[in-house]
Amino acid sequence: MERNNIREIRKTIFIRSAGVVCMAVVFSGTLFGKDLNTAQKDSTLRREMLLEGEYTPTIRDADKINILPEVEDLKPTKATIQYSSWSTSTTPPTESARLQAEHFGTGPMLYGKRGYVTLGGGNLLNIRGAAGYEFLNTENDYLRVSGNHFSTNGNVTYLQDDSKKKAKLNDNLFNAFYKHRFDYFNLNVSANYGYTGFNYYGYDFMINPDGTIPDRTQVFQRINPGIGIKSTHDDGINYEVQIDYSYFTEKYGTGEGHNGLSESDVFTRFDLNKRLEQITPGIKAEMHNLFYTAKNSADPISNYTNVAVSPYFEMGGNGENWKLHVGATLNCATEGDKKFTIAPDFSVEYDLSKGTWLYAEAGGRKEVYTKSRIAEENRYLSPGIKVPDAECPLDARLGIKSSELNYWFFNAYVRYKIVNDMHYYFRNADYTTGYDEYYFPGAFEYGLYDKENLFQAGGQITCNYQDRVGISLKLAKNFWDTGLKGGNNETATKPVNIPDFEVNASVDVLLLPQLKMNIGYELQTGRYGLLQTMFSQIRPPFNLQEKMKDIQNVTGGVNYMFNKSFSVYLQMNNLLNQKYEYRYTYPEQSISAMAGFTYLF
């Protein structure tokens, strides 16, 4: 009966969301359809694809390899509140061997080709592969399908002692994307399927009395279809409407029968604006409708809705040396302590000297932590748990960026961010009933910061010299002001698993027309892990904040192109053979190598 009710609710949400799309199309066509004689078209649909990037907002970053790369001129672009993943606090990598997309061997080789297949393998049973094909790429239609795979099944050594355990991961993503250009708008349709299987291989602090430790393989699956429309004119009402449905399941839970949690998320967003002579007023909105099913759960998760509405206006741009965006974001949620919140939505930038821009931003929003989002952030969270949403009342940035020097671009900024009820992950060393068939050794639990304030100073320098030499350097110094609340956390004073200093550097060199070399360096310092116990069966209650080893990861590789269709590559990871953890008690692999090939057709 309950399942039927949930289905009816989902059906109602879908019908209403589809109505929003239809109304937007009819409304916009009525307003300006009669005034336009011809459609505004680019030379090819490919250009629109390159400019928009990955249109569907819920696709993982790992899938960006499926976009044909384009070498961009160094030019100033509007800085966003979410600066980059390397400067945020809780975005650990999604796989053990941190190989970037271009390390597949594809990189800039995809010019003029419609399909690609790449496959690589290495020690520790690391296997990586990808394939994709453009079935259509015409003036009005674009269709591609693609898939990515990464798996590992090798032993890793713990930092806590010299024991070893096998780290298992089988991560797959398949998707299809179709785009059609009508006279006045573009239609986008996408469908994605993700499958991730893994084990909880983290170090277990407890002593197993019977000598048996269950090592069950957890499985996450996700189905994500989406549809959207976007206007192609600037002289009428500009609109963009997107509806995505995400169904996420986990195989095992922590209760009787091992039933995992399932989540359905109907995500709707739109942006409407009208360009007038001096000003562009508009309104943006996002809505999550979340539904949960958890069999045999003693603490079921409630369904809820979160809506964010942002009226705004913009001035400048269009050849001007300044641009202003002023608005506010009102958030309304049916769950949580603060059901109504408001945050600024402001940005301004000014061109000081035809290429050097001074900019300022102030934003904020409610962070909706769906199960699907948390699974990508930390797949090792104990199953059956929903992390509460967080509130960001302010995220402000002041900076300067420039591309005046040939081939060079730099960006320097300071940032201040406030987050309420931000989560962190900790390991629980409680020992009460021992290991049973429902226990997941190595799993994390979550806690909430009483506050998490960040002051950050950062910068970026990049150089692209005629596509022969590419240099990138990113720095961030973080000053955290945090406090943990609840439970036995009063003695934990350091922020959990977030660095105080970060460096990301890379160099790409085209040694010969057929030979390319790359080297990368990553540094994270000042991180602390948290181990918690509240029982005295094995030791007195305590909260242990252990200083985690600094991450120093050096990568390097070469790519050799035999012709325009075939190339081979060799990629090395952790060349310094350092021991470190991106997640507390989950060690990364030692030095590893992967060799592979790429075929373009």
Side-chain angles (χ1 to χ4, degrees), residues 476-498:
K477 175 62 178 176
N478 304 316
F479 301 90
W480 301 99
D481 180 14
T482 61
L484 308 185
K485 68 178 182 180
N488 191 34
N489 288 324
E490 289 77 9
T491 60
T493 59
K494 301 290 186 180
V496 179
N497 200 29
I498 46 182

Short mmCIF file of all heavy atoms in Angstrom, two decimals, residues 476-498:
data_model
loop_
_atom_site.label_atom_id
_atom_site.label_comp_id
_atom_site.label_asym_id
_atom_site.label_seq_id
_atom_site.Cartn_x
_atom_site.Cartn_y
_atom_site.Cartn_z
N ALA A 476 45.79 26.97 -2.59
CA ALA A 476 44.75 27.42 -1.67
C ALA A 476 45.23 27.25 -0.24
O ALA A 476 45.67 26.16 0.15
CB ALA A 476 43.45 26.65 -1.90
N LYS A 477 45.17 28.31 0.54
CA LYS A 477 45.44 28.27 1.97
C LYS A 477 44.13 28.45 2.71
O LYS A 477 43.44 29.45 2.52
CB LYS A 477 46.45 29.36 2.35
CG LYS A 477 46.72 29.47 3.84
CD LYS A 477 47.32 28.18 4.42
CE LYS A 477 47.61 28.34 5.91
NZ LYS A 477 48.11 27.08 6.51
N ASN A 478 43.79 27.47 3.54
CA ASN A 478 42.51 27.46 4.23
C ASN A 478 42.68 27.73 5.72
O ASN A 478 43.55 27.13 6.36
CB ASN A 478 41.82 26.10 4.04
CG ASN A 478 41.63 25.74 2.59
OD1 ASN A 478 41.24 26.58 1.78
ND2 ASN A 478 41.92 24.49 2.24
N PHE A 479 41.85 28.60 6.24
CA PHE A 479 41.80 28.88 7.68
C PHE A 479 40.41 28.50 8.16
O PHE A 479 39.42 29.19 7.86
CB PHE A 479 42.10 30.35 7.95
CG PHE A 479 43.44 30.82 7.44
CD1 PHE A 479 43.56 31.33 6.16
CD2 PHE A 479 44.58 30.73 8.23
CE1 PHE A 479 44.78 31.76 5.67
CE2 PHE A 479 45.81 31.16 7.75
CZ PHE A 479 45.91 31.67 6.47
N TRP A 480 40.33 27.39 8.89
CA TRP A 480 39.05 26.85 9.31
C TRP A 480 38.70 27.30 10.72
O TRP A 480 39.55 27.35 11.60
CB TRP A 480 39.06 25.32 9.27
CG TRP A 480 39.36 24.74 7.94
CD1 TRP A 480 40.56 24.25 7.49
CD2 TRP A 480 38.46 24.59 6.85
NE1 TRP A 480 40.46 23.80 6.20
CE2 TRP A 480 39.18 23.99 5.78
CE3 TRP A 480 37.10 24.89 6.66
CZ2 TRP A 480 38.58 23.69 4.56
CZ3 TRP A 480 36.52 24.58 5.44
CH2 TRP A 480 37.25 24.00 4.42
N ASP A 481 37.44 27.60 10.92
CA ASP A 481 36.89 27.86 12.26
C ASP A 481 35.71 26.93 12.42
O ASP A 481 34.61 27.20 11.91
CB ASP A 481 36.47 29.32 12.40
CG ASP A 481 35.90 29.62 13.79
OD1 ASP A 481 36.09 28.79 14.70
OD2 ASP A 481 35.25 30.67 13.95
N THR A 482 35.93 25.79 13.10
CA THR A 482 34.91 24.76 13.18
C THR A 482 34.63 24.41 14.63
O THR A 482 35.43 24.64 15.54
CB THR A 482 35.36 23.48 12.45
OG1 THR A 482 36.54 22.97 13.08
CG2 THR A 482 35.64 23.76 10.99
N GLY A 483 33.48 23.80 14.84
CA GLY A 483 33.12 23.26 16.13
C GLY A 483 32.24 22.06 15.93
O GLY A 483 31.35 22.07 15.09
N LEU A 484 32.51 20.96 16.66
CA LEU A 484 31.71 19.75 16.56
C LEU A 484 30.67 19.74 17.65
O LEU A 484 30.90 20.23 18.76
CB LEU A 484 32.61 18.51 16.67
CG LEU A 484 33.81 18.46 15.74
CD1 LEU A 484 34.53 17.14 15.88
CD2 LEU A 484 33.40 18.69 14.30
N LYS A 485 29.50 19.19 17.33
CA LYS A 485 28.44 19.20 18.32
C LYS A 485 27.87 17.81 18.50
O LYS A 485 27.91 16.97 17.60
CB LYS A 485 27.33 20.16 17.92
CG LYS A 485 26.52 19.76 16.70
CD LYS A 485 25.42 20.77 16.45
CE LYS A 485 24.56 20.39 15.27
NZ LYS A 485 23.50 21.38 15.03
N GLY A 486 27.33 17.56 19.70
CA GLY A 486 26.66 16.30 19.98
C GLY A 486 27.60 15.18 20.34
O GLY A 486 28.80 15.21 20.07
N GLY A 487 27.06 14.15 21.01
CA GLY A 487 27.83 12.94 21.29
C GLY A 487 29.04 13.21 22.15
O GLY A 487 29.02 13.97 23.10
N ASN A 488 30.13 12.57 21.80
CA ASN A 488 31.36 12.63 22.59
C ASN A 488 32.42 13.45 21.85
O ASN A 488 33.59 13.12 21.87
CB ASN A 488 31.86 11.20 22.85
CG ASN A 488 32.97 11.17 23.87
OD1 ASN A 488 32.98 11.97 24.81
ND2 ASN A 488 33.91 10.26 23.69
N ASN A 489 31.99 14.53 21.19
CA ASN A 489 32.87 15.25 20.29
C ASN A 489 33.49 16.51 20.90
O ASN A 489 34.15 17.27 20.19
CB ASN A 489 32.12 15.64 19.01
CG ASN A 489 31.83 14.44 18.14
OD1 ASN A 489 32.63 13.53 18.06
ND2 ASN A 489 30.67 14.44 17.50
N GLU A 490 33.26 16.77 22.17
CA GLU A 490 33.73 18.02 22.74
C GLU A 490 35.24 18.16 22.70
O GLU A 490 35.78 19.26 22.63
CB GLU A 490 33.24 18.17 24.19
CG GLU A 490 31.74 18.44 24.32
CD GLU A 490 30.91 17.19 24.10
OE1 GLU A 490 31.50 16.09 24.02
OE2 GLU A 490 29.68 17.30 24.01
N THR A 491 35.96 17.03 22.72
CA THR A 491 37.42 17.09 22.74
C THR A 491 38.02 17.16 21.34
O THR A 491 39.22 17.30 21.20
CB THR A 491 37.98 15.86 23.47
OG1 THR A 491 37.56 14.67 22.79
CG2 THR A 491 37.51 15.82 24.90
N ALA A 492 37.19 17.01 20.31
CA ALA A 492 37.67 17.08 18.93
C ALA A 492 37.60 18.53 18.47
O ALA A 492 36.52 19.06 18.25
CB ALA A 492 36.84 16.18 18.03
N THR A 493 38.73 19.16 18.34
CA THR A 493 38.78 20.59 18.03
C THR A 493 39.23 20.88 16.60
O THR A 493 39.05 21.99 16.13
CB THR A 493 39.73 21.30 18.99
OG1 THR A 493 41.04 20.73 18.89
CG2 THR A 493 39.23 21.17 20.43
N LYS A 494 39.82 19.91 15.92
CA LYS A 494 40.32 20.14 14.57
C LYS A 494 39.25 19.76 13.55
O LYS A 494 38.47 18.83 13.76
CB LYS A 494 41.57 19.30 14.32
CG LYS A 494 42.72 19.58 15.27
CD LYS A 494 43.34 20.94 15.01
CE LYS A 494 44.58 21.14 15.88
NZ LYS A 494 45.20 22.46 15.65
N PRO A 495 39.20 20.47 12.42
CA PRO A 495 38.30 20.04 11.35
C PRO A 495 38.69 18.66 10.84
O PRO A 495 39.86 18.30 10.84
CB PRO A 495 38.48 21.12 10.28
CG PRO A 495 39.81 21.74 10.57
CD PRO A 495 39.98 21.66 12.05
N VAL A 496 37.71 17.87 10.46
CA VAL A 496 37.92 16.46 10.13
C VAL A 496 38.14 16.29 8.63
O VAL A 496 37.29 16.66 7.83
CB VAL A 496 36.72 15.61 10.60
CG1 VAL A 496 36.94 14.14 10.24
CG2 VAL A 496 36.51 15.78 12.10
N ASN A 497 39.32 15.76 8.29
CA ASN A 497 39.64 15.34 6.92
C ASN A 497 39.53 16.46 5.89
O ASN A 497 39.15 16.23 4.75
CB ASN A 497 38.77 14.16 6.49
CG ASN A 497 39.38 13.40 5.33
OD1 ASN A 497 40.59 13.34 5.17
ND2 ASN A 497 38.53 12.82 4.51
N ILE A 498 39.83 17.68 6.28
CA ILE A 498 39.88 18.78 5.33
C ILE A 498 41.23 19.49 5.50
O ILE A 498 41.68 19.73 6.62
CB ILE A 498 38.71 19.77 5.50
CG1 ILE A 498 38.50 20.15 6.95
CG2 ILE A 498 37.45 19.20 4.90
CD1 ILE A 498 37.33 21.09 7.17
#
